[in-house]
Amino acid sequence: MTEPTELSYTHGTSTTPLLGDTIGANLDRAIAAYPEREALVDVESGRRWTYTEFGAAVDEVALGLLAKGVRKGDRVGIWAVNCPEWVLVQYATARIGAIMVNINPAYRAHELQYVLKQAGISLLVASLAHKTSDYRSLVDQVRGGCPELRETVYIADPTWDAFTAGAASVPQDRLASLAGELSCDDPVNIQYTSGTTGFPKGATLSHHNILNNGYWVGRTIGYTEQDRVCLPVPFYHCFGMVMGNLGATSHGACIVIPAPSFDPRATLEAVQQERCTSLYGVPTMFIAELNLPGFADYDLSSLRTGIMAGSPCPVEVMKRVVGEMHMEQVSICYGMTETSPVSLQTRMDDDLEHRTGTVGRVLPHIEVKIVDPATGVTLPRGAAGELCTRGYSVMLGYWNEPEKTAEAVDTGRWMHTGDLALMREDGYVEIVGRIKDMIIRGGENIYPREIEEFLYAHPKIADVQVVGVPHERYGEEVLACVIPRDPADPPTLEELRAFCEGQLAHYKIPSRLQTLDAFPMTVSGKVRKIELRERFAEPV
């Protein structure tokens, strides 16, 4: 009788229970345990708060919201770059049971109006401007189409000062009485996923979802009250506000904001000045930091760990992050907004191959499986299929969209990620692509990640993205979009093909090459492959 094949299913066991707190109650625990330790530092403005001071500032904003008539379940929008006020609004809304709605700072009027209306936002907190966007003007443009929007408060503006001054009109003990009315299963956050087709969907997340996920991500990389976490990633995304902010405060660590938006120089200066022990980023951020003129002059010796997520990390980049940035315990995380976000994470002592060849193994209290996308049947280990995840981290649903929720979360409460993956014998998972990114050339399935990983080793290539574009005969062909190391000496298609010859199967070798200065990116740092496909669908 043959041995049964082990299936691509695993679950994270732990003797440590999940947290049953609300976010406000958990913050109170940190304040009581670490009253004089720093909780938040804003490098640009020089402002800093101990946990006691941070708690008082959160309470002031919470009382200000109550003074404005915000009640449990009301939606409060936050449309701002990274700043201390963003963090205060995050914890203040959680304190009173309001639902904070994260709005992408890059949104223009049409997108802003959609989110304000779809979420039913009654109060909006906004920056005054971001890059070329005048936020006050954009809000004025859409206000007429958003009947539920009562008021907008602007950060670094007299409206913010008036808003916080309003806190004095509400008795402080209102917060304690409200705390007794909140459940950890209440919705506390709506995050809009980047819609590649149609409008974005609002993933609705509870205290239990995001507090536990931040806690377990931080626990997995050994956070204590000694840690100082540098966050150049955007707060509007789970990476910043869950893995960053909640990951820090649930362990008594310090949140360090290096700049309002990503700046490689400001990031390295913040690590050096604040003696940060942890640094977050997507691979393109780490690449920008490593390639910064004078990189070697920064003292990064305080770093020990950090998180890289958002897209696969090239081996050479990981070697430099570990060796030159002192991040020996750097961790790779995999997740999605709808799962709060992290399901899989590498461990502090994993080797280089596991940190670059996989996205880690399942976190405690979570299940993952790999299924046949057509049948839903769990596949044997080593076979590629759709990655599904289940557990405390799966969202409550898409806000006011039950049909869309049912398409993503099945009757067994499994979240279908849309990612193609395979599970190794040791339980570690490799992402081989998005189901929709897979290239099908003449009947052959091609996973862009494999080709990208190979091309990263080309001496003339700094960064590369591979996409499928239409081809009359084969259905699709392979296009390599590259950012050259030296813009004056980019690789030619002939050089690229010669580099691949004998190393990759012939059908995987790019037949088209496009040289770019930069890739189109989402605000959270992911490359917009769909835009590359659309832009270069026709040969130039």
Side-chain angles (χ1 to χ4, degrees):
M1 186 175 170
T2 58
E3 285 289 314
T5 306
E6 190 166 5
L7 293 175
S8 296
Y9 167 88
T10 184
H11 63 280
T13 58
S14 178
T15 56
T16 303
L18 289 167
L19 301 175
D21 298 339
T22 61
I23 289 168
N26 187 262
L27 178 61
D28 287 340
R29 289 176 189 272
I31 293 166
Y34 314 110
E36 299 311 312
R37 293 204 70 86
E38 282 192 328
L40 178 63
V41 173
D42 182 48
V43 175
E44 186 174 79
S45 69
R47 293 179 291 168
R48 49 187 72 228
W49 292 258
T50 64
Y51 265 92
T52 298
E53 293 163 344
F54 180 65
V58 167
D59 286 356
E60 181 182 57
V61 174
L63 292 167
L65 290 169
L66 292 173
K68 290 289 187 187
V70 176
R71 298 294 178 260
K72 180 181 177 182
D74 287 354
R75 274 77 66 206
V76 174
I78 177 81
W79 189 35
V81 293
N82 285 15
C83 60
E85 289 79 5
W86 207 111
V87 186
L88 295 175
V89 170
Q90 177 184 349
Y91 288 83
T93 47
R95 267 235 189 279
I96 65 169
I99 302 171
M100 184 178 72
V101 183
N102 304 8
I103 304 176
N104 185 329
Y107 274 4
R108 308 297 289 184
H110 176 67
E111 299 152 312
L112 173 66
Q113 179 170 319
Y114 175 79
V115 168
L116 289 172
K117 197 170 178 180
Q118 204 273 334
I121 290 169
S122 57
L123 179 79
L124 176 66
V125 179
S127 294
L128 287 166
H130 171 58
K131 296 184 178 174
T132 60
S133 296
D134 176 342
Y135 279 14
R136 201 190 297 267
S137 164
L138 288 167
V139 171
D140 289 344
Q141 278 180 51
V142 305
R143 189 184 295 278
C146 305
E148 292 183 62
L149 181 64
R150 297 195 309 265
E151 189 170 355
T152 303
V153 174
Y154 293 96
I155 296 164
D157 178 76
T159 57
W160 177 267
D161 298 331
F163 163 65
T164 53
S169 66
V170 182
Q172 179 82 26
D173 62 6
R174 277 283 301 282
L175 294 178
S177 63
L178 278 173
E181 300 171 17
L182 304 183
S183 161
C184 66
D185 294 317
D186 290 336
V188 73
N189 184 217
I190 298 174
Q191 300 199 30
Y192 281 85
T193 60
S194 309
T196 51
T197 56
F199 286 104
K201 302 183 290 290
T204 307
L205 304 168
S206 68
H207 295 259
H208 195 66
N209 287 151
I210 60 177
L211 175 61
N212 273 291
N213 205 253
Y215 172 79
W216 282 100
V217 167
R219 184 182 172 93
T220 301
I221 50 176
Y223 278 170
T224 71
E225 71 277 10
Q226 305 293 329
D227 281 292
R228 299 173 68 79
V229 187
C230 184
L231 296 177
V233 294
F235 288 153
Y236 98 90
H237 189 265
C238 267
F239 200 172
M241 67 157 286
V242 178
M243 299 152 70
N245 296 344
L246 290 170
T249 60
S250 61
H251 294 280
C254 179
I255 299 161
V256 176
I257 306 173
S261 54
F262 175 63
D263 178 318
R265 187 176 306 282
T267 301
L268 296 181
E269 286 174 356
V271 169
Q272 177 175 275
Q273 174 187 312
E274 295 297 327
R275 306 303 293 155
C276 294
T277 59
S278 176
L279 173 62
Y280 287 15
V282 296
T284 50
M285 290 180 176
F286 284 100
I287 289 167
E289 290 152 11
L290 289 162
N291 291 341
L292 193 68
F295 164 77
D297 297 334
Y298 291 96
D299 178 5
L300 308 178
S301 60
S302 58
L303 287 173
R304 69 165 181 87
T305 190
I307 294 174
M308 206 182 295
S311 56
C313 178
V315 174
E316 294 308 312
V317 175
M318 180 59 78
K319 284 181 182 173
R320 292 192 64 194
V321 166
V322 170
E324 297 172 42
M325 298 182 84
H326 307 281
M327 294 170 61
E328 292 87 357
Q329 297 174 354
V330 65
S331 183
I332 298 292
C333 288
Y334 164 86
M336 61 192 307
T337 304
E338 291 89 338
T339 57
S340 303
V342 179
S343 303
L344 300 153
Q345 186 173 356
T346 60
R347 301 323 198 242
M348 289 192 290
D349 56 353
D350 280 339
D351 60 26
L352 181 70
E353 194 282 326
H354 278 85
R355 289 186 199 178
T356 55
T358 81
V359 289
R361 54 189 167 93
V362 70
L363 281 179
H365 303 290
I366 290 175
E367 300 170 272
V368 296
K369 65 177 179 178
I370 313 286
V371 304
D372 182 317
T375 65
V377 172
T378 305
L379 294 168
R381 296 207 177 189
E386 185 179 19
L387 177 62
C388 299
T389 181
R390 179 167 70 177
Y392 74 83
S393 59
V394 175
M395 66 175 177
L396 299 178
Y398 292 121
W399 183 259
N400 283 345
E401 295 197 86
E403 299 84 7
K404 294 268 178 29
T405 302
E407 289 171 15
V409 184
D410 67 25
T411 53
R413 289 292 297 162
W414 286 97
M415 177 76 209
H416 289 252
T417 66
D419 281 322
L420 287 167
L422 62 85
M423 186 179 293
R424 295 181 176 183
E425 292 298 327
D426 62 6
Y428 281 72
V429 172
E430 298 178 35
I431 302 295
V432 293
R434 292 285 291 166
I435 290 175
K436 65 176 186 288
D437 285 344
M438 187 172 70
I439 303 167
I440 304 175
R441 180 190 180 277
E444 296 279 5
N445 290 352
I446 300 171
Y447 303 118
R449 164 78 203 274
E450 179 190 2
I451 306 169
E452 289 162 357
E453 191 64 57
F454 179 73
L455 291 178
Y456 275 121
H458 192 289
K460 288 189 175 182
I461 292 176
D463 206 350
V464 57
Q465 294 291 322
V466 170
V467 296
V469 287
H471 187 274
E472 193 173 331
R473 181 177 172 193
Y474 294 113
E476 287 187 291
E477 64 178 329
V478 179
L479 164 67
C481 300
V482 307
I483 297 173
R485 287 194 182 280
D486 179 359
D489 185 25
T492 65
L493 180 60
E494 291 71 27
E495 287 174 327
L496 205 67
R497 290 179 63 82
F499 184 74
C500 298
E501 198 65 47
Q503 304 295 318
L504 294 177
H506 71 91
Y507 62 86
K508 297 178 186 176
I509 297 175
S511 52
R512 285 180 55 192
L513 171 66
Q514 195 72 43
T515 301
L516 301 173
D517 297 325
F519 297 132
M521 308 286 274
T522 66
V523 173
S524 57
K526 292 185 179 180
V527 176
R528 283 184 49 79
K529 285 197 169 189
I530 190 167
E531 192 171 318
L532 292 174
R533 280 199 298 272
E534 289 169 354
R535 193 190 301 179
F536 303 117
E538 298 294 329
V540 178

